Amino acid sequence: MRLAILGCGTVGSEVVRLLHEQSADLAARIGAPLEIAGIAVRRLGRDRGDLPVAPELFTTDAVGLVKSEDVDVVVEVVGGIEPARGWLVDALRAGKSVVTANKALLAEDGAALHDAAADGGADLYYEAAVAGAIPLLRPLRESLHGDRINRVTGIVNGTTNFILSAMDATGAGFAEALEEATELGYAEADPTADVEGFDAAAKAAILASLAFHTRVGAADVHREGITEVTAADVASAKAMGCTIKLLCIAARGADATGRESVSVRVHPAMIPLGHPLASVGDAYNAVFVEAEAAGPLMFYGRGAGGAATASAVLGDVVAVCRNRLAGVRAPSESAYADLAVRPMGEALTRYHVSLDVADKPGVLAAVAGVFARHDVSIATVRQVPAGAEPAGRGADAVLVIVTHTAPDAALAATVEELRGLDAVRSIASVLRVEGGE
Ligand code: NDP
Ligand code: HSE
């Protein structure tokens, strides 16, 4: 089995190293030896340490390598939309199996890849694209195909989980925790894709597509990052016995007309400390799947890192090679359900709202009236004196309100009206709450 490897960076170099170190075992498991036909990179002169591979295998001609007649499997660990999309579409149409870790491309234009795989009768595997080393897509794609998945809730971005865990542990603000994540090598020099939620949104789209047999793209995912999460939000969460996580949530439900649909979103949320995802710390990932017959299932492990991600890539390489030798291909993309994606306004969630108010008669009634007007039911109310001022008539107080579940649009409209209320001096924080109801 001849492999074209596209990319030899953090993940690619570990793929190459493991292919060398485990060549005998891999050959035995597949039933044929694996050979590297070539490795496409951007810079031929880059120092690649002591990689156990002949220098003449490196090339900058990715197109030529992909088109090469003697390549069976294309492993893409470059990333980005183009030129990766062109390479992979060409490879699949030519009947070559593809293994990729490229979540950005799968979420942006998975359809182009799946269609090309169907045209070419080729395998398209991408276990490493979501949650790195964690075997997750294969269970969704195969093991759970006899069941009905209702909801997937995950922590799928290690960088933001490291930052939020640090904020929770030390009381640090976002900027300080990001600095620590950068110093320790968790956050990239440009952390935008992670902290603004783009990376998690791409993974959410891939998970939702597999869980609900429906094509969901990055543009269908409601996305909010963690840059606005403050130390005060974290303290507020702690006071409620909660912690804040950047969650990806994909859930089945009915739309406004009662038709079955899905909602897919990524945003920070408070979760109770007893929630299965609350104890997932540092840069770890975890995904909680709720299936009709199987019940709750938890997947946990390293979501990033060269060797961890290479493990998932190599698992796919073994699978596609076995398929080729057996003359079969894995089942095509399953998108038969074709469910509509609900707008964020129709997603059901809960809000935690902290309001700075004057501590005087009628304020609580006025605030409660706003919630009632939007048909939002209040679950708990807590009032604490603000700062060092003595509590009492006219002094500042903080009202902390947690709602029951309601459509996001109703909750957002409630907050908007609260902003204009005379009794409300300012809105200190608004966070969604997940789990526990
Ligand atoms: P890196 O930036 O470390 O490596 C990218 C590689 O691609 C480099 O070897 C680079 O060449 C090569 N490359 C870039 N542009 C071209 C081009 N035009 N032609 C040929 N080669 C090119 O990326 P990672 O290894 O971190 O990520 C690879 C993929 O894996 C991405 O899709 C990423 O999202 C995904 N992934 C990464 C994880 C991680 O922990 N890093 C985890 C899960 C998924 P050169 O070496 O010469 O610069
Ligand atoms: N930047 C990603 C993370 C890498 O922090 O989880 C894995 O996709």
Side-chain angles (χ1 to χ4, degrees):
M1 287 284 131
R2 304 259 301 161
L3 311 185
I5 299 182
L6 311 180
C8 192
T10 306
V11 179
S13 59
E14 287 301 320
V15 169
V16 169
R17 194 181 305 282
L18 290 173
L19 276 171
H20 176 76
E21 286 172 7
Q22 300 180 12
S23 63
D25 284 328
L26 291 170
R29 290 171 199 169
I30 290 167
L34 291 175
E35 273 174 29
I36 298 177
I39 305 171
V41 292
R42 193 174 32 190
R43 295 163 290 174
L44 278 182
R46 182 177 173 187
D47 178 8
R48 300 185 193 277
D50 58 352
L51 264 194
V53 66
E56 55 272 20
L57 284 178
F58 287 96
T59 175
T60 52
D61 182 13
V63 172
L65 183 57
V66 166
K67 288 203 157 93
S68 172
E69 288 293 323
D70 72 343
V71 162
D72 301 291
V73 178
V74 173
V75 177
E76 187 267 313
V77 278
V78 168
I81 309 303
E82 293 293 358
R85 172 168 44 197
W87 299 332
L88 300 192
V89 165
D90 284 351
L92 290 162
R93 284 205 184 121
K96 289 166 184 161
S97 310
V98 163
V99 172
T100 177
N102 194 335
K103 62 242 168 181
L105 173 57
L106 284 155
E108 173 72 20
D109 198 5
L113 301 187
H114 286 293
D115 290 348
D119 288 350
D123 272 342
L124 170 63
Y125 275 53
Y126 43 96
E127 183 66 64
V130 182
I134 307 174
L136 171 64
L137 302 194
R138 199 83 52 84
L140 291 179
R141 192 168 147 155
E142 294 176 13
S143 320
L144 288 165
H145 261 202
D147 207 333
R148 176 183 160 90
I149 296 173
N150 289 323
R151 189 180 171 96
V152 179
T153 311
I155 295 171
V156 291
N157 183 268
T159 306
T160 47
N161 202 47
F162 179 88
I163 293 171
L164 291 172
S165 301
M167 289 172 74
D168 189 83
T170 65
F174 169 75
E176 204 185 322
L178 171 60
E179 208 177 302
E180 191 192 350
T182 310
E183 272 167 20
L184 292 174
Y186 288 109
E188 294 183 29
D190 177 1
T192 312
D194 292 320
V195 299
E196 296 291 358
F198 289 102
D199 177 79
K203 293 165 179 169
I206 295 169
L207 288 175
S209 300
L210 291 172
F212 304 126
H213 306 271
T214 289
R215 277 186 177 168
V216 178
D220 297 315
V221 182
H222 174 86
R223 175 192 54 79
E224 294 170 33
I226 64 163
T227 54
E228 308 286 315
V229 177
T230 63
D233 291 334
V234 174
S236 206
K238 275 190 164 176
M240 284 188 44
C242 291
T243 186
I244 299 177
K245 296 290 184 191
L246 181 69
L247 296 184
C248 101
I249 300 169
R252 243 181 236 281
D255 68 10
T257 67
R259 239 180 359 160
E260 181 166 57
S261 59
V262 296
S263 79
V264 193
R265 51 197 164 105
V266 166
H267 54 68
M270 289 170 49
I271 51 174
L273 292 177
H275 191 283
L277 295 174
S279 56
V280 178
D282 292 329
Y284 277 85
N285 283 192
V287 177
F288 185 59
V289 177
E290 292 165 72
E292 195 102 2
L297 299 157
M298 180 81 165
F299 299 84
Y300 172 84
R302 286 187 202 284
T309 308
S311 160
V313 170
L314 282 184
D316 281 355
V317 167
V318 169
V320 300
C321 287
R322 282 176 176 159
N323 287 351
R324 285 188 87 80
L325 284 173
V328 297
R329 72 180 279 252
S332 303
E333 172 200 25
S334 171
Y336 71 92
D338 197 21
L339 299 175
V341 180
R342 291 198 298 283
M344 182 61 189
E346 292 179 23
L348 295 178
T349 183
R350 300 163 67 204
Y351 273 24
H352 164 283
V353 188
S354 285
L355 307 168
D356 290 336
V357 297
D359 189 2
K360 61 183 187 186
V363 168
L364 187 55
V367 167
V370 176
F371 283 83
R373 268 197 293 288
H374 292 280
D375 203 20
V376 173
S377 176
I378 292 172
T380 64
V381 181
R382 187 163 56 96
Q383 179 173 317
V384 288
E389 289 175 50
R393 200 175 181 87
D396 279 347
V398 179
L399 264 183
V400 182
I401 299 175
V402 181
T403 71
H404 284 299
T405 301
D408 195 78
L411 292 160
T414 304
V415 171
E416 217 30 59
E417 194 179 333
L418 287 171
R419 274 185 215 290
L421 205 67
D422 283 345
V424 174
R425 292 182 175 155
S426 68
I427 297 186
S429 116
V430 179
L431 271 170
R432 294 190 182 84
V433 183
E434 294 291 332
E437 183 157 272

